[in-house]
Amino acid sequence: MTVDDSTAPMDYPFTKASALEPPAQYAELRESCPYAKISMGGGEMVLLTRYDDVRTVMADPRFSRALTAEGAARITEDGNDIFSRADSNSSAVGAAHEQWRRMVGRWFTAKRMSALRPGIEAMAEQLIDGMLEHGAPADLKNHLAFPLPVWVICDMLGVPHQDREQFSHWSTVTFTFTRFSKEEVAAATAEFDAYMLSHIEEKRQDPKDDLLSNLIVQTNSTGYRMQGAELLQTAKGLLAAGHETTAGQISKMTAMLLADRSRWEALLRDRALVRTTVEEGLRSDANMGFGLPRYLSEEVTLGDTVLPAGTTAMLNLTSANRDATVFERPDEMVLDRSPNPHISFGVGPHSCLGQALARTELQVVLDVMLRRLPGLELACPVEDLRIAEGLIVTGLTELPVRW
């Protein structure tokens, strides 16, 4: 069978029930309509909500996340989104993409992440010191969750500390959906490009022991060296992806743990739960964003349904991670859940390259918070928490806490 074209598409993204609960439509669609037609500003797509379907399409190397193909639906009518702007360089797909991942991936090994832990812990300590000095109540997002990933990725890229705030702004604009105008995005992109080109040239003249310097000077086994537009897009992509997603997850994970404070108390009693709690926080995230698009250049059969070539599919990871056919008690946050085959970092050729870094940051910041802020609690009702709208990757607008 094929997707029913006789029904009107549903407006997407769906209205969020709350900051910590997913839209009710996800469960309904998984059960009764796993290939629903949806409408976004740039056209019609097919929404995939079941774990197996999302994983299958995501892992298929034939399909691009870039919506630059002729006939692909766009996220927004004017193309003012990262999927319509990004992946236009030669390293976006195929063998070139595999080559790019191998070169950049050298900086995201488990060994390197272990070496980074003490530095990340020191940054978290410094930021919590500032929050304590500010006094309760305080916005944990502003004091800790938002700046920490910027500090970490700026250190990895060799960016001067005094420029961190600019990077925060550029990163947020990069992940815009409707929050910024096309003119604001264009202006921020021009500023970002100019800064990074200048920074790259400085590293070319005087390379240091950082990721960007390494990418400038290293060659692979065939003698290939990254340069030009590819180097610029890599530096920008690492900064934006390495910041916005992790910053949002720190806030949401902490909010989930404090919304039912027995979870926080369980962690205080058994710190060995930190690793599995981070994974469960990633799985339980009710508002990961609207999903990941894939342009299907060839026909795909999912179960008894055929998605024809030319379809733009929206893969909803939030829904997939709550599929009861894969996860027991899918709507509960089970701190010791193991195994936990969530797909929050994706799978296949476009899986998150920095997932080891994100896991390290989340584990470190949770461990430091438990040690430094054992009395941490929400300083507002759970229902007052709000998701920041207009961004492809969602986070809380603020997270008021006291201790």
Side-chain angles (χ1 to χ4, degrees):
M1 60 181 293
T2 58
V3 176
D4 183 4
D5 288 327
S6 65
T7 58
M10 306 171 71
D11 289 336
Y12 191 81
F14 302 135
T15 300
K16 299 173 179 64
S18 70
L20 303 183
E21 295 295 331
Q25 290 96 326
Y26 294 164
E28 296 168 3
L29 292 175
R30 281 196 306 271
E31 181 66 27
S32 61
C33 187
Y35 314 107
K37 288 199 306 178
I38 57 171
S39 176
M40 300 195 73
E44 292 185 9
M45 303 183 185
V46 174
L47 180 67
L48 306 187
T49 51
R50 290 178 177 172
Y51 181 94
D52 288 344
D53 294 336
V54 170
R55 201 180 196 289
T56 295
V57 174
M58 194 185 305
D60 197 317
R62 295 174 297 171
F63 307 138
S64 173
R65 61 182 177 174
L67 302 182
T68 52
E70 184 177 352
R74 304 292 195 265
I75 303 301
T76 57
E77 185 176 3
D78 61 3
N80 183 25
D81 65 87
I82 190 172
F83 298 110
S84 299
R85 299 192 304 264
D87 289 347
S88 58
N89 62 73
S90 61
S91 65
V93 295
H97 182 71
E98 293 177 12
Q99 174 180 258
W100 176 87
R101 284 185 70 94
R102 284 194 297 270
M103 295 184 75
V104 179
R106 299 173 187 175
W107 277 80
F108 293 92
T109 63
K111 183 178 180 180
R112 283 191 180 274
M113 294 306 103
S114 180
L116 286 176
R117 273 184 176 267
I120 297 173
E121 183 174 346
M123 293 178 195
E125 294 271 9
Q126 181 180 341
L127 288 166
I128 288 176
D129 285 343
M131 188 169 75
L132 292 174
E133 184 177 346
H134 172 277
D139 179 6
L140 188 135
K141 174 188 174 180
N142 183 59
H143 284 279
L144 177 62
F146 195 74
L148 179 67
V150 177
W151 288 20
V152 173
I153 199 66
C154 283
D155 262 21
M156 291 184 70
L157 291 173
V159 171
H161 291 181
Q162 62 268 23
D163 296 337
R164 291 167 173 166
E165 290 304 315
Q166 295 180 73
F167 271 67
S168 294
H169 171 67
W170 291 329
S171 171
T172 299
V173 172
T174 296
F175 278 95
T176 190
F177 169 38
T178 57
R179 186 169 173 180
F180 297 95
S181 69
K182 195 169 186 177
E183 292 72 25
E184 288 174 317
V185 171
T189 299
E191 293 172 4
F192 199 176
D193 286 356
Y195 179 94
M196 288 309 305
L197 286 169
S198 175
H199 186 59
I200 288 169
E201 187 56 34
E202 290 177 11
K203 294 296 180 183
R204 198 185 307 279
Q205 298 299 323
D206 185 21
K208 305 290 185 183
D209 183 24
D210 57 68
L211 189 159
L212 192 54
S213 294
N214 189 268
L215 291 178
I216 290 169
V217 302
Q218 77 171 329
T219 57
N220 67 6
S221 58
T222 65
Y224 172 80
R225 177 175 292 169
M226 195 180 296
Q227 53 190 323
E230 186 180 20
L231 188 59
L232 172 63
Q233 293 304 319
T234 296
K236 290 174 59 180
L238 288 173
L239 176 103
H243 161 237
E244 201 71 36
T245 51
T246 307
Q249 187 59 25
I250 291 172
S251 292
K252 288 183 287 185
M253 175 183 69
T254 305
M256 284 187 278
L257 294 171
L258 298 179
D260 178 350
R261 208 167 180 285
S262 66
R263 298 166 182 162
W264 188 258
E265 291 164 1
L267 285 165
L268 290 172
R269 291 192 300 270
D270 185 2
R271 300 268 284 279
L273 289 172
V274 165
R275 184 187 63 80
T276 54
T277 295
V278 165
E279 297 305 313
E280 183 67 346
L282 290 161
R283 186 200 69 82
S284 301
D285 185 354
N287 290 297
M288 294 178 64
F290 58 72
L292 295 176
R294 289 291 187 270
Y295 179 71
L296 307 186
S297 54
E298 301 178 33
E299 181 181 283
V300 178
T301 300
L302 300 174
D304 62 354
T305 299
V306 175
L307 300 182
T311 297
T312 303
M314 179 60 74
L315 316 183
N316 192 289
L317 277 63
T318 298
S319 176
N321 280 338
R322 292 182 177 235
D323 191 327
T325 66
V326 179
F327 302 97
E328 292 184 10
R329 297 148 60 198
D331 294 321
E332 294 181 36
M333 191 178 189
V334 182
L335 302 188
D336 61 351
R337 188 186 296 274
S338 182
N340 191 343
H342 70 78
I343 51 176
S344 300
F345 290 116
V347 293
H350 292 289
S351 61
C352 177
L353 188 66
Q355 60 186 279
L357 176 61
R359 285 186 163 105
T360 301
E361 291 181 59
L362 289 164
Q363 291 170 14
V364 167
V365 74
L366 180 54
D367 199 56
V368 173
M369 284 194 295
L370 288 165
R371 176 165 46 82
R372 295 289 307 277
L373 303 165
L376 193 66
E377 61 181 11
L378 291 178
C380 72
V382 174
E383 54 269 23
D384 287 352
L385 296 176
R386 294 287 179 267
I387 288 290
E389 301 293 345
L391 295 176
I392 285 172
V393 178
T394 56
L396 299 174
T397 56
E398 61 179 352
L399 181 56
V401 295
R402 53 179 172 250
W403 49 89

